[in-house]
Short mmCIF file of all heavy atoms in Angstrom, two decimals:
data_model
loop_
_atom_site.label_atom_id
_atom_site.label_comp_id
_atom_site.label_asym_id
_atom_site.label_seq_id
_atom_site.Cartn_x
_atom_site.Cartn_y
_atom_site.Cartn_z
N ALA A 315 -7.88 17.22 -5.04
CA ALA A 315 -6.56 18.01 -5.08
C ALA A 315 -5.99 18.46 -3.70
O ALA A 315 -4.76 18.39 -3.47
CB ALA A 315 -6.68 19.05 -6.22
N ARG A 316 -7.00 19.01 -3.03
CA ARG A 316 -6.67 19.62 -1.72
C ARG A 316 -6.15 18.37 -0.83
O ARG A 316 -5.24 18.50 -0.06
CB ARG A 316 -7.74 20.31 -1.07
CG ARG A 316 -7.36 21.18 0.16
CD ARG A 316 -8.47 22.03 0.52
NE ARG A 316 -8.20 22.84 1.80
CZ ARG A 316 -7.71 24.06 1.79
NH1 ARG A 316 -7.30 24.56 0.48
NH2 ARG A 316 -7.43 24.72 2.81
N GLY A 317 -7.03 17.36 -0.88
CA GLY A 317 -6.58 16.13 0.01
C GLY A 317 -5.29 15.50 -0.42
O GLY A 317 -4.65 15.02 0.44
N ALA A 318 -5.02 15.62 -1.56
CA ALA A 318 -3.69 15.09 -2.14
C ALA A 318 -2.47 15.75 -1.45
O ALA A 318 -1.49 15.10 -1.39
CB ALA A 318 -3.60 15.24 -3.73
N ILE A 319 -2.74 16.99 -1.00
CA ILE A 319 -1.59 17.74 -0.36
C ILE A 319 -1.34 17.11 1.10
O ILE A 319 -0.22 16.92 1.44
CB ILE A 319 -2.04 19.21 -0.24
CG1 ILE A 319 -2.12 19.88 -1.56
CG2 ILE A 319 -1.01 19.97 0.72
CD1 ILE A 319 -2.70 21.32 -1.54
N LEU A 320 -2.35 16.75 1.65
CA LEU A 320 -2.28 16.12 3.09
C LEU A 320 -1.81 14.75 2.82
O LEU A 320 -0.84 14.24 3.61
CB LEU A 320 -3.67 15.93 3.71
CG LEU A 320 -3.67 15.16 4.99
CD1 LEU A 320 -2.86 15.84 6.10
CD2 LEU A 320 -5.18 15.15 5.63
N VAL A 321 -2.13 13.98 1.79
CA VAL A 321 -1.57 12.62 1.52
C VAL A 321 -0.11 12.66 1.38
O VAL A 321 0.69 11.94 1.82
CB VAL A 321 -2.24 12.02 0.43
CG1 VAL A 321 -1.58 10.60 -0.02
CG2 VAL A 321 -3.67 11.72 0.68
N SER A 322 0.33 13.65 0.50
CA SER A 322 1.87 13.90 0.18
C SER A 322 2.59 14.19 1.42
O SER A 322 3.79 13.64 1.52
CB SER A 322 1.90 14.86 -0.96
OG SER A 322 1.60 16.14 -0.48
N ALA A 323 1.97 14.97 2.38
CA ALA A 323 2.74 15.23 3.48
C ALA A 323 2.86 14.08 4.40
O ALA A 323 4.00 13.92 4.88
CB ALA A 323 1.92 16.34 4.32
N ILE A 324 1.92 13.29 4.60
CA ILE A 324 2.03 12.15 5.45
C ILE A 324 2.94 11.05 4.71
O ILE A 324 3.85 10.58 5.47
CB ILE A 324 0.57 11.36 5.56
CG1 ILE A 324 -0.40 12.33 6.33
CG2 ILE A 324 0.85 10.08 6.39
CD1 ILE A 324 0.01 12.58 7.76
N PHE A 325 2.92 10.98 3.40
CA PHE A 325 3.80 9.90 2.77
C PHE A 325 5.24 10.35 2.80
O PHE A 325 6.20 9.64 2.96
CB PHE A 325 3.33 9.68 1.26
CG PHE A 325 3.80 8.45 0.71
CD1 PHE A 325 3.20 7.22 1.22
CD2 PHE A 325 4.87 8.27 -0.14
CE1 PHE A 325 3.63 6.05 0.77
CE2 PHE A 325 5.24 7.20 -0.69
CZ PHE A 325 4.67 5.98 -0.22
N GLU A 326 5.38 11.84 2.72
CA GLU A 326 6.79 12.22 2.78
C GLU A 326 7.45 12.02 4.25
O GLU A 326 8.55 11.66 4.28
CB GLU A 326 6.79 13.77 2.52
CG GLU A 326 8.29 14.35 2.38
CD GLU A 326 8.27 15.79 2.27
OE1 GLU A 326 8.04 16.29 1.25
OE2 GLU A 326 8.68 16.53 3.29
N ALA A 327 6.64 12.18 5.22
CA ALA A 327 6.97 12.07 6.58
C ALA A 327 7.44 10.53 6.76
O ALA A 327 8.43 10.12 7.33
CB ALA A 327 5.92 12.34 7.57
N PHE A 328 6.57 9.59 6.16
CA PHE A 328 7.00 8.30 6.17
C PHE A 328 8.23 7.96 5.54
O PHE A 328 9.10 7.16 6.05
CB PHE A 328 5.80 7.45 5.54
CG PHE A 328 6.30 6.02 4.95
CD1 PHE A 328 6.60 5.07 5.98
CD2 PHE A 328 6.38 5.81 3.72
CE1 PHE A 328 7.04 3.81 5.44
CE2 PHE A 328 6.80 4.51 3.21
CZ PHE A 328 7.13 3.53 4.05
N ILE A 329 8.55 8.48 4.43
CA ILE A 329 9.83 8.38 3.63
C ILE A 329 10.91 8.77 4.43
O ILE A 329 12.01 8.06 4.66
CB ILE A 329 9.81 8.88 2.21
CG1 ILE A 329 8.70 8.24 1.42
CG2 ILE A 329 11.09 8.82 1.59
CD1 ILE A 329 8.61 8.79 0.04
N SER A 330 10.73 9.86 5.09
CA SER A 330 11.90 10.37 6.00
C SER A 330 12.15 9.44 7.12
O SER A 330 13.27 9.17 7.43
CB SER A 330 11.56 11.79 6.56
OG SER A 330 11.29 12.76 5.47
N ILE A 331 10.98 8.95 7.64
CA ILE A 331 11.31 8.00 8.71
C ILE A 331 11.99 6.66 8.35
O ILE A 331 12.88 6.18 8.93
CB ILE A 331 9.99 7.67 9.49
CG1 ILE A 331 9.29 8.91 10.06
CG2 ILE A 331 9.87 6.47 10.38
CD1 ILE A 331 7.75 8.89 10.46
N TYR A 332 11.52 6.20 7.21
CA TYR A 332 12.13 4.98 6.56
C TYR A 332 13.61 5.28 6.29
O TYR A 332 14.39 4.41 6.67
CB TYR A 332 11.34 4.69 5.28
CG TYR A 332 12.12 3.76 4.32
CD1 TYR A 332 12.08 2.48 4.67
CD2 TYR A 332 12.68 4.16 3.34
CE1 TYR A 332 12.78 1.49 3.73
CE2 TYR A 332 13.46 3.40 2.28
CZ TYR A 332 13.51 2.01 2.65
OH TYR A 332 14.17 1.20 1.80
N ASN A 333 13.95 6.48 5.82
CA ASN A 333 15.31 6.62 5.52
C ASN A 333 16.17 6.65 6.68
O ASN A 333 17.33 6.30 6.76
CB ASN A 333 15.44 7.94 4.72
CG ASN A 333 14.98 7.95 3.39
OD1 ASN A 333 14.97 6.83 2.74
ND2 ASN A 333 14.57 9.09 2.84
N ILE A 334 15.56 7.14 7.93
CA ILE A 334 16.26 7.10 9.29
C ILE A 334 16.55 5.63 9.60
O ILE A 334 17.67 5.37 10.12
CB ILE A 334 15.61 7.94 10.28
CG1 ILE A 334 15.55 9.43 9.89
CG2 ILE A 334 16.13 7.76 11.61
CD1 ILE A 334 14.74 10.35 10.78
N ARG A 335 15.57 4.85 9.50
CA ARG A 335 15.63 3.54 9.98
C ARG A 335 16.60 2.68 9.15
O ARG A 335 17.12 1.67 9.69
CB ARG A 335 14.16 2.92 9.93
CG ARG A 335 13.12 3.46 10.75
CD ARG A 335 11.83 2.75 10.76
NE ARG A 335 11.97 1.46 11.40
CZ ARG A 335 11.69 1.02 12.60
NH1 ARG A 335 11.14 2.00 13.49
NH2 ARG A 335 11.81 -0.19 13.08
N VAL A 336 16.75 3.01 7.85
CA VAL A 336 17.59 2.19 6.89
C VAL A 336 18.91 2.79 6.77
O VAL A 336 19.81 2.22 6.00
CB VAL A 336 16.88 1.78 5.60
CG1 VAL A 336 15.60 1.18 5.81
CG2 VAL A 336 16.72 3.16 4.86
N LYS A 337 19.24 3.80 7.39
CA LYS A 337 20.56 4.56 7.17
C LYS A 337 21.68 3.57 7.49
O LYS A 337 22.62 3.62 6.57
CB LYS A 337 20.63 5.73 8.14
CG LYS A 337 21.85 6.72 7.78
CD LYS A 337 21.65 7.97 8.64
CE LYS A 337 22.93 8.84 8.36
NZ LYS A 337 22.79 10.06 9.32
#
Side-chain angles (χ1 to χ4, degrees):
R316 192 174 180 89
I319 298 172
L320 177 58
V321 176
S322 67
I324 298 292
F325 203 75
E326 181 186 293
F328 157 70
I329 291 175
S330 299
I331 293 163
Y332 163 79
N333 287 336
I334 293 172
R335 296 185 69 98
V336 301
K337 187 176 180 180

